[in-house]
Amino acid sequence: MSTIESVLQENRVFPPSAAFAAQANVAGMAAYQALVAKAAADYEGFWAELARQHITWSKPFSQVLDESNAPFYKWFADGELNVSYNCLDRHLPARADKTALIFEADDGTVSKVTYQELYHRVCQFANGLKSLGVQKGDRVIIYMPMSVEAVVAMQACARIGAIHSVVFGGFSAKALHERIQDARAKVVVTADESLRGGKAVPLKAAVDEAMAMGDVDNVQKIVVYRRSGAAVPMQAGRDLWWHDLVKGQADSCEAVPMNAEDPLFILYTSGSTGKPKGVQHATGGYLLGAILSMQWVFDAKPDTDVYWCTADVGWITGHTYVAYGPLALGMTEVIFEGVPTYPSAARFWEMIARHKVTTFYTAPTAIRSLIKLGADLPRQHDLSSLRLLGTVGEPINPEAWMWYYEVVGQSRCPIVDTWWQTETGSNMISPLPGATPIKPGTCTLPLPGIMAEIVDETGHPVPQGSGGMLVIKRPFPSQLRTLWGDPERFKKTYFPEELGGKTYLAGDSSRRDEDGYFWIMGRIDDVLNVSGHRLGTMEIESALVANPMVAEAAVVGKPHEIKGEAVVAYVVLKRARPTGEEAKKIVAELRDWVGKEIGPIAKPDEIRFGDNLPKTRSGKIMRRLLRAIAKGEEITQDVSTLENPAILEQLKEAVA
Ligand code: WT7
């Protein structure tokens, strides 16, 4: 990949400025090394001390790490706590009047919510959920726009011990249906519509469609937040308005003491099979990871920071760095309903200036598209409040990094390139901004206590500079506990026997440079990273094959300037291979089809038709060839083992 080649040549180094280091939570490499050494010397003691220091426990723990049923690890297993208590109650009364959330709507309307108000709203909604019969351990699906209410719903679940599963509002009714079913949710919380970029996205209609797909008797109630005011049909006995539910509810509600190992939430993510995985996180360890990364990576200063993570709550980043982490620290944070390009490509810069944002966390894909739409726009806004920048989701190419550093951060703000995953719950490999000398394009070094390494297929460390599989050798508090309802898949996917069954396999390839810095190279499985979002190739293939016109499909990724990776689908139709206008028409139909099956983010960028797919004589699709063709590369490899080499010429033809 061209971006990887260019990062391999990167040798600029940006050490933290003296001014930043002087005020940092972890100041200087010696301080970082001391934490690393402490974790190495007494692993459990290290985590136990931090867990006691940063979390308010309703019942202190005496056990730290329990490895007796590896890889089903437990942390702080006899302790009790409540995440919502740690995010709200413990900041009262001292921070009661402090702004917790600054919400900016799509149309620019701003509203602020104090910690006291947020506490009341969470309590009222929690009481509302209880009145619907939601109890500890029940699952609640949250299919909501970016809103104060989405955070309230998540916090309310945490407060009463219900397990939320947030489904990104851009996912289709079909994807929603699958998740409602798999989680066996009792309640679905949604909105009439979400408003993004001046357009309304019907959410309640998608919920109705999902419910009509059947086999969802588990759902008893659907709570609808009125956002746009659009008329939506309400089914008597099943559907009720958010505002009616909370009316008259008490504004305090007990924060139920939860066992540290009780599930906090399930979040579905793509894997290498067609079926999304329900990543299950636990209460205590997850909260600890969120808090420590806020302290270490985001250098949180609750009294002076205005924190803004642009991720949607439908993704893990929006869980850890919107709904939980900032609130656990008692920070003020910005929540944004809209999109970076509306009403103009200056929206982010306007908002940073308007809200005096100090800490800004976004995705490389957003940065790249904003460069393209207006590289000079940041200079027209007062960005002097910024002190720290972050990126997440994919490697950032040095060109985009330099622009982010110089134009947005005015060469003053360190950039934390944070590597982590839905499964890890919180940042794993990242610079600590007051300590780590930063190089553009690398996520640098593991956080203290994170035993990341690069190994070969047999689990042996690779020589420095060589590529290999990224693993984490020791269990860490914020890691997923299992896959909802599928412990076997959890073991096989993340703790494979070939690596001894106890080492966490991340699914990424990486290499380390002479300073030990990690350079992420890409996925080792059939997972694509499109605009920082994970998509399984099999998932898209199953969606395509579900179309009555399609006989067979293979999906690969190809490098894309803005999105990182683009989706290319090779399709064999049941009818003859289409050309010209007919081909164009079918491409449009199939793209829409995938949008409906999964969601607009999964729509193939390109579809190519063939009479067949390139297969070996044993019938295996040669994906390597398909990737080369998608990139427009000359095919140099021997294709004589192919059953049908002539097919390659057809597949080189993209539909115009
Ligand atoms: C995959 C995880 C973690 C929240 C966003 C995505 C890729 C993530 C980086 C980074 C290079 C990165 C990896 C990882 N990734 N951050 N800083 N540099 N690659 O979460 O959907 O669970 O995807 O995103 O490939 O495995 P996710």
Side-chain angles (χ1 to χ4, degrees):
M1 229 168 82
S2 61
T3 50
I4 287 174
E5 266 151 35
S6 56
V7 297
L8 289 178
Q9 290 147 20
E10 185 57 50
N11 47 24
R12 284 168 286 201
V13 182
F14 298 81
S17 69
F20 194 98
Q23 59 81 61
N25 292 345
V26 180
M29 273 312 256
Y32 165 74
Q33 298 295 3
L35 286 168
V36 170
K38 208 165 159 185
D42 175 11
Y43 193 67
E44 290 192 33
F46 170 80
W47 290 114
E49 187 184 327
L50 291 165
R52 289 195 183 99
Q53 188 185 340
H54 292 286
I55 291 176
T56 305
W57 297 86
S58 50
K59 175 170 173 266
F61 59 86
S62 65
Q63 301 158 14
V64 185
L65 170 61
D66 176 355
E67 302 184 78
S68 59
N69 188 26
F72 299 93
Y73 301 108
K74 292 180 181 166
W75 284 92
F76 320 120
D78 60 345
E80 288 180 1
L81 72 156
N82 182 284
V83 167
S84 174
Y85 181 93
N86 275 272
C87 291
L88 300 171
D89 310 44
R90 69 165 167 169
H91 306 313
L92 308 174
R95 292 191 173 126
D97 296 327
K98 178 182 168 142
T99 300
L101 308 178
I102 302 173
F103 175 70
E104 183 161 320
D106 193 50
D107 68 2
T109 310
V110 175
S111 46
K112 296 186 180 179
V113 183
T114 65
Y115 271 92
Q116 186 71 57
E117 288 160 358
L118 186 58
Y119 167 84
H120 287 320
R121 287 169 73 164
V122 168
C123 286
Q124 283 189 316
F125 194 69
N127 285 325
L129 286 176
K130 282 206 281 194
S131 76
L132 299 180
V134 177
Q135 294 172 357
K136 181 171 165 174
D138 286 343
R139 275 80 57 210
V140 173
I141 292 273
I142 299 177
Y143 186 62
M144 294 275 278
M146 275 302 279
S147 52
V148 170
E149 283 70 16
V151 174
V152 167
M154 293 164 80
Q155 287 279 345
C157 287
R159 195 159 187 92
I160 62 174
I163 302 169
H164 61 66
S165 184
V166 183
V167 177
F168 174 55
F171 277 129
S172 68
K174 181 89 186 295
L176 176 65
H177 178 252
E178 202 175 350
R179 287 156 177 76
I180 292 173
Q181 265 193 333
D182 191 78
R184 303 212 60 73
K186 199 180 218 177
V187 166
V188 176
V189 184
T190 189
D192 48 4
E193 296 179 319
S194 79
L195 299 171
R196 288 164 55 79
K199 292 193 209 94
V201 183
L203 295 179
K204 172 61 163 58
V207 174
D208 290 340
E209 207 185 320
M211 293 298 293
M213 289 173 188
D215 252 347
V216 282
D217 297 342
N218 44 296
V219 176
Q220 295 172 6
K221 296 286 175 193
I222 294 170
V223 182
V224 187
Y225 159 55
R226 183 177 275 152
R227 171 63 191 100
S228 71
V232 291
M234 299 288 276
Q235 184 176 310
R238 186 195 73 178
D239 303 351
L240 71 164
W241 290 105
W242 175 298
H243 54 263
D244 289 333
L245 177 66
V246 297
K247 204 180 294 163
Q249 296 291 351
D251 61 8
S252 67
C253 170
E254 191 209 359
V256 177
M258 302 295 288
N259 183 276
E261 279 298 313
D262 281 336
L264 179 63
F265 64 83
I266 304 165
L267 183 58
Y268 287 87
T269 188
S270 295
S272 46
T273 73
K275 192 176 177 285
K277 306 182 277 197
V279 169
Q280 181 180 319
H281 279 287
T283 299
Y286 172 81
L287 180 64
L288 184 61
I291 293 175
L292 292 177
S293 51
M294 286 301 300
Q295 295 274 6
W296 289 341
V297 176
F298 295 105
D299 193 46
K301 300 289 185 315
D303 292 332
T304 47
D305 275 341
V306 176
Y307 182 86
W308 183 17
C309 164
T310 67
D312 191 282
V313 289
W315 311 108
I316 190 70
T317 312
H319 282 60
T320 310
Y321 301 106
V322 177
Y324 291 116
L327 297 177
L329 277 272
M331 315 261 296
T332 296
E333 66 168 318
V334 174
I335 294 185
F336 177 39
E337 179 177 39
V339 299
T341 49
Y342 178 84
S344 81
R347 184 67 183 265
F348 276 1
W349 324 128
E350 282 166 18
M351 285 182 62
I352 290 170
R354 180 155 49 242
H355 304 301
K356 301 201 166 35
V357 171
T358 60
T359 313
F360 181 65
Y361 189 31
T362 196
T365 185
I367 297 168
R368 289 192 296 262
S369 71
L370 292 175
I371 294 175
K372 200 156 182 189
L373 294 170
D376 275 333
L377 289 176
R379 293 189 221 273
Q380 297 164 23
H381 299 273
D382 178 7
L383 305 185
S384 60
S385 57
L386 286 173
R387 68 180 192 91
L388 178 58
L389 301 172
T391 67
V392 59
E394 53 183 315
I396 180 163
N397 49 309
E399 299 72 31
W401 194 98
M402 284 310 300
W403 180 84
Y404 197 32
Y405 185 75
E406 287 174 346
V407 182
V408 179
Q410 298 161 343
S411 303
R412 177 185 69 242
C413 309
I415 299 177
V416 287
D417 175 350
T418 59
W419 178 86
W420 59 297
Q421 308 175 293
T422 305
E423 293 87 343
T424 69
S426 56
N427 299 163
M428 292 283 110
I429 307 181
S430 168
L432 305 194
T436 318
I438 296 172
K439 302 181 207 173
T442 161
C443 51
T444 74
L445 297 167
L447 267 58
I450 301 304
M451 307 302 186
E453 262 187 42
I454 298 171
V455 301
D456 62 20
E457 287 74 27
T458 60
H460 293 97
V462 300
Q464 184 250 302
S466 305
M469 303 188 293
L470 177 50
V471 298
I472 302 174
K473 298 287 268 193
R474 296 278 281 142
F476 51 94
S478 71
Q479 77 195 42
L480 80 165
R481 294 303 190 260
T482 188
L483 291 175
W484 179 257
D486 204 347
E488 275 312 307
R489 190 175 177 193
F490 165 77
K491 280 213 288 207
K492 259 181 34 203
T493 311
Y494 302 109
F495 297 92
E497 279 308 325
E498 304 83 78
L499 300 181
K502 292 184 173 188
T503 294
Y504 174 77
L505 178 67
D508 280 351
S509 62
S510 176
R511 64 172 191 95
R512 298 183 84 163
D513 68 14
E514 60 285 0
D515 295 315
Y517 286 14
F518 286 75
W519 295 78
I520 306 295
M521 292 154 63
R523 299 282 309 185
I524 56 173
D525 50 12
D526 295 319
V527 170
L528 305 181
N529 190 331
V530 178
S531 301
H533 300 316
R534 235 158 105 171
L535 292 171
T537 51
M538 292 267 291
E539 224 177 321
I540 306 174
E541 286 165 10
S542 324
L544 283 166
V545 173
N547 184 291
M549 286 189 290
V550 176
E552 220 181 344
V555 167
V556 299
K558 86 170 191 187
H560 185 279
E561 204 192 339
I562 306 257
K563 304 199 228 180
E565 257 183 314
V567 180
V568 181
Y570 295 89
V571 172
V572 181
L573 295 181
K574 289 175 186 162
R575 69 178 86 168
R577 176 172 178 264
T579 52
E581 288 307 310
E582 192 201 359
K584 274 196 215 165
K585 199 175 133 260
I586 298 177
V587 164
E589 276 176 43
L590 290 180
R591 293 188 73 241
D592 277 353
W593 175 271
V594 174
K596 291 218 174 73
E597 287 283 301
I598 304 173
I601 49 168
K603 285 186 183 178
D605 294 85
E606 224 179 77
I607 296 180
R608 299 174 179 220
F609 297 104
D611 290 324
N612 208 331
L613 296 172
K615 289 180 190 154
T616 61
R617 284 179 215 279
S618 60
K620 213 170 143 328
I621 297 173
M622 302 274 284
R623 286 169 184 282
R624 237 172 343 116
L625 276 179
L626 292 177
R627 277 191 284 267
I629 295 173
K631 281 193 231 170
E633 285 174 4
E634 213 40 61
I635 306 220
T636 48
Q637 68 200 103
D638 178 19
V639 294
S640 60
T641 56
L642 278 185
E643 173 72 39
N644 46 1
I647 217 74
L648 297 179
E649 287 311 312
Q650 285 186 351
L651 298 176
K652 283 182 193 164
E653 248 174 73
V655 177

